[in-house]
C-alpha cells in the first residue's frame, strides 16, 4: 500500500507509464485507503484549479476595464 501511495501524485499528474498505470488502477480497485487518498488529491487539485481560474477571470476583467 505504501508503495502505491508514493506513486499517486505522479499517476494523477499523468507522469507514469501505461504499465504502471495498469498496476495502480488494479490496486485502486481493491484498496479503499489508496482510492480515498487519490480522491482527496483530485479534489484538492480541482479546488486549486477553480481558484486559479476565478483569479484569472478577475484579472482579465480588470485589464479589460483599464483598456
Amino acid at each position: 500500500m505504501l508503495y502505491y501511495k508514493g506513486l499517486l501524485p505522479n499517476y494523477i499528474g499523468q507522469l507514469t507509464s501505461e504499465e504502471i498505470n495498469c498496476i495502480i488502477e488494479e490496486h485502486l480497485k481493491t484498496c479503499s485507503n489508496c482510492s480515498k487518498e487519490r480522491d482527496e488529491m483530485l479534489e484538492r487539485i480541482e479546488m486549486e484549479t477553480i481558484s486559479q481560474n476565478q483569479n484569472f477571470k478577475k484579472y482579465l476583467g480588470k485589464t479589460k476595464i483599464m483598456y
Side-chain angles (χ1 to χ4, degrees):
M1 179 172 82
L2 185 58
Y3 172 75
Y4 296 105
K5 283 180 85 168
L7 288 173
L8 282 176
N10 289 336
Y11 171 75
I12 290 169
Q14 300 176 345
L15 301 173
T16 50
S17 68
E18 277 297 316
E19 181 181 355
I20 297 297
N21 290 347
C22 290
I23 292 169
I24 292 171
E25 288 163 7
E26 283 300 314
H27 176 73
L28 290 172
K29 290 178 184 177
T30 59
C31 182
S32 61
N33 289 332
C34 287
S35 293
K36 181 180 176 185
E37 184 78 23
R38 179 208 50 209
D39 294 344
E40 288 172 358
M41 287 181 184
L42 288 170
E43 188 174 305
R44 276 181 266 159
I45 290 170
E46 186 175 317
M47 292 303 292
E48 289 172 7
T49 303
I50 289 169
S51 176
Q52 290 171 354
N53 286 343
Q54 288 174 345
N55 289 339
F56 187 66
K57 286 179 183 177
K58 286 179 186 177
Y59 169 78
L60 288 178
K62 289 178 184 178
T63 304
K64 186 177 179 181
I65 291 170
M66 288 173 39
Y67 295 101

